[in-house]
Amino acid sequence: MATKPSHSLMWNSKAECMPIEERRSLQLKRLQDLVERIAVQSPFYRSLFQKHGVKPGDIRTLDDLRRLPFTVKEDLRDNYPYELFATPLKDVVRIHCSSGTTGKPVVSGYTANDIEMWTEMMARSLTSAGASYRDVVHNSYGYGLFTGGLGIDTGARKIGAATVPMSGGVNNRQIMLMEDFGATVLTCTPSYALVLAEAAAQMGLDIRNRIKLRVGVFGAEPWTEEMRVEIEEKLHLEAYDIFGMGEIMGPGVSVECAYHNGLHMQDDNFLPEIIDPDTGEPLPPGEQGELVITTLTKEAMPLIRYRTRDITRLTDDPCPCGRTSVRHFKLTGRTDDMLIIKGVNVFPSQIEAVLLRHSELAPQYVLVVERKNNLDQLEIQVEATEAFYNQGADTISLFSEKLHYEMQQMLYVSSKIIIVPPRTVQRSEGKAKRVIDKRKEWLER
Ligand SMILES: [Zn+2]
């Protein structure tokens, strides 16, 4: 946790520092209005509420939220494309969807008011990261169906920053434009931030003196504190974590403040809960579980108790920045990403945390899981740095043994460590693909 914040900027202090009791009554009022509205206007929720025997009048306190049924990703797939919309299509002004290459995508619709609210959430988020009208925002999130590019863009426009609508790819050109345009804020996935740092280093560019980046706003995939250190050292900026999902809205659902002690949930619009992912039971404050979000104000596609599959915990301890919203800690992984190796739960983030402690290794890795002779095998392929790789096979082998031991202490399961030559792990322009689970391929055959 930062003891000395780098700034104290806030976009909407009246909303962000609202007294807690006032916020709770606003949340309740919005929840009651939402349930009343969708029980009439949304065919999906009308029938779901009937099935679960709940009526709008049942919501008398915020605790009554738990009487409402969950919404899961399969509901979005099964009701493709528009069945979850709670407004007629004539009132929808934007449609986004997931970028999956197989099957039907997950769709999200927005009314003009929804876009307005999203823009406000992004203005708050960028300001929370210390950005203002004085900044040049180099936006490497993808523009298009993915919500990252346009989400950041509208927020940056609202705060009056100059935005470079870059999208991902052509790394050398990104570096050239960052330098020439004097970019001060970088927005992209954390894994792509490292790819850009690597590209700059390969170009022989002195990042500290030639690139003016001051702040990075990184999200769309879980990342560790170790990754933060790596990015901050390589790009000479202060890294902020931002969270969002296309189904819920896009980026800006929550974001860190200058104290970096969790992400402030914009809970006047997004009501969070933590549940036990196995039983669905709500967990007491502070306990780790699956993040569930109810969108309180969205018009076109509101979601009730949407199971995000992200694992984290909440805190309502006061934050020195003055914002009164609930915070969640950095995501430790997604329930979908969790690997079960020989019956033990393993999150890729645990592996990343160990790998990034070592200066011998580059922050590029891939996990390969297979089943051989009915036994799960986890192989961790990680890149050596140029300097370390040149030290030769004996040194690398000795180091691998040490790493193997450390990994076992972290994961409680044995793994095979393979140190690969520099720049041999595939780089990504967006969300990194870190896991190859061959057991799934076997099951699907
Ligand atoms: Zn704060």
Side-chain angles (χ1 to χ4, degrees):
M1 173 174 156
T3 43
K4 257 196 199 160
S6 51
H7 71 89
S8 59
L9 301 178
M10 207 176 292
W11 178 254
N12 184 345
S13 55
K14 189 163 179 283
E16 294 176 71
C17 302
M18 186 185 291
I20 290 174
E21 279 316 309
E22 197 180 318
R23 182 186 300 274
R24 290 213 177 104
S25 28
L26 178 70
Q27 289 169 333
L28 177 61
K29 171 84 174 62
R30 286 181 165 175
L31 180 65
Q32 288 169 328
D33 289 351
L34 169 72
V35 172
E36 206 159 302
R37 180 161 57 86
I38 60 177
V40 178
Q41 291 179 10
S42 161
F44 171 80
Y45 280 114
R46 196 166 52 224
S47 80
L48 193 66
F49 288 173
Q50 273 165 8
K51 202 170 117 194
H52 287 263
V54 285
K55 295 181 296 298
D58 294 340
I59 306 296
R60 292 186 201 92
T61 70
L62 280 176
D63 282 340
D64 291 330
L65 177 66
R66 62 182 60 182
R67 302 167 71 126
L68 298 172
F70 292 115
T71 311
V72 293
K73 196 168 216 165
E74 288 69 37
D75 292 325
L76 276 68
R77 292 231 164 86
D78 295 347
N79 291 281
Y80 175 87
Y82 296 149
E83 296 300 304
L84 257 102
F85 284 15
T87 48
L89 201 54
K90 71 176 172 58
D91 296 334
V92 171
V93 299
R94 174 97 65 79
I95 297 166
H96 279 283
C97 72
S98 62
S99 57
T101 46
T102 53
K104 297 290 190 191
V106 169
V107 176
S108 186
Y110 305 77
T111 63
N113 284 338
D114 291 338
I115 297 282
E116 193 65 29
M117 185 272 285
W118 187 9
T119 305
E120 163 80 14
M121 294 305 102
M122 272 313 309
R124 286 191 203 170
S125 300
L126 290 169
T127 310
S128 179
S132 75
Y133 63 92
R134 291 191 181 90
D135 282 296
V136 175
V137 177
H138 185 96
N139 186 13
S140 301
Y141 280 112
Y143 280 69
L145 289 172
F146 174 55
T147 52
L150 282 166
I152 297 279
D153 193 291
T154 45
R157 190 190 321 163
K158 180 106 179 168
I159 66 170
T163 308
V164 184
M166 196 68 211
S167 281
V170 202
N171 305 337
N172 290 7
R173 195 170 168 78
Q174 301 244 0
I175 303 298
M176 182 187 84
L177 295 186
M178 265 197 254
E179 184 185 3
D180 295 350
F181 293 175
T184 48
V185 177
L186 171 64
T187 52
C188 60
T189 60
S191 53
Y192 194 56
L194 283 176
V195 170
L196 290 175
E198 185 180 56
Q202 274 176 337
M203 290 161 76
L205 192 91
D206 173 7
I207 299 181
R208 188 184 286 274
N209 290 313
R210 301 269 296 276
I211 295 202
K212 291 192 206 153
L213 287 178
R214 191 169 60 70
V215 163
V217 182
F218 305 122
E221 61 187 11
W223 50 305
T224 55
E225 284 301 328
E226 288 77 5
M227 178 83 108
R228 187 202 305 270
V229 172
E230 190 89 23
I231 294 173
E232 291 189 335
E233 277 175 2
K234 290 194 163 147
L235 285 172
H236 306 286
L237 50 70
E238 185 175 349
Y240 285 79
D241 195 355
I242 188 168
F243 167 77
M245 345 178 53
E247 305 95 296
I248 303 268
M249 172 177 77
V253 173
S254 61
V255 69
E256 285 179 345
C257 67
Y259 287 89
H260 301 281
N261 56 355
L263 288 80
H264 284 277
M265 179 69 70
Q266 314 249 31
D267 59 5
D268 45 352
N269 293 291
F270 303 99
L271 193 57
E273 299 168 81
I274 296 288
I275 61 158
D276 179 326
D278 297 323
T279 64
E281 283 303 309
L283 292 173
E287 277 198 39
Q288 178 160 293
E290 180 180 346
L291 178 64
V292 170
I293 293 176
T294 298
T295 66
L296 292 175
T297 50
K298 266 178 70 186
E299 294 178 342
M301 207 182 90
L303 292 175
I304 296 282
R305 304 190 81 196
Y306 184 65
R307 294 188 59 161
T308 66
R309 305 188 194 183
D310 284 307
I311 304 291
T312 186
R313 58 196 168 90
L314 298 178
T315 176
D316 51 10
D317 289 347
C319 183
C321 75
R323 290 176 181 84
T324 48
S325 44
V326 160
R327 305 193 302 285
H328 67 85
F329 290 97
K330 252 175 141 4
L331 305 175
T332 52
R334 295 175 60 79
T335 52
D336 327 20
D337 293 343
M338 190 180 78
L339 297 164
I340 301 176
I341 313 282
K342 295 176 190 163
V344 179
N345 297 348
V346 171
F347 282 105
S349 56
Q350 295 174 293
I351 297 174
E352 180 178 296
V354 173
L355 297 178
L356 266 57
R357 280 181 210 151
H358 297 281
S359 59
E360 291 88 347
L361 302 173
Q364 301 292 344
Y365 62 92
V366 60
L367 314 176
V368 184
V369 189
E370 298 188 73
R371 183 162 291 149
K372 280 183 183 163
N373 304 324
N374 283 325
L375 275 180
D376 295 330
Q377 296 203 336
L378 167 64
E379 185 176 289
I380 302 169
Q381 299 176 5
V382 58
E383 269 184 28
T385 59
E386 195 90 51
F388 181 59
Y389 201 71
N390 291 338
Q391 290 180 22
D394 289 349
T395 314
I396 292 176
S397 157
L398 216 61
F399 175 78
S400 300
E401 276 174 39
K402 191 178 100 178
L403 192 58
H404 177 263
Y405 176 75
E406 255 180 68
M407 206 55 87
Q408 189 145 7
Q409 298 292 305
M410 169 66 99
L411 307 178
Y412 303 108
V413 69
S414 183
S415 59
K416 190 173 170 189
I417 309 274
I418 312 254
I419 312 257
V420 299
R423 289 180 295 283
T424 50
V425 170
Q426 199 184 345
R427 309 297 195 254
S428 157
E429 292 168 11
K431 302 183 193 191
K433 287 184 191 67
R434 306 260 195 222
V435 180
I436 302 169
D437 195 339
K438 294 187 173 168
R439 299 172 303 180
K440 281 190 186 155
E441 287 164 24
W442 180 79
L443 284 172
E444 280 160 12
R445 263 205 295 265

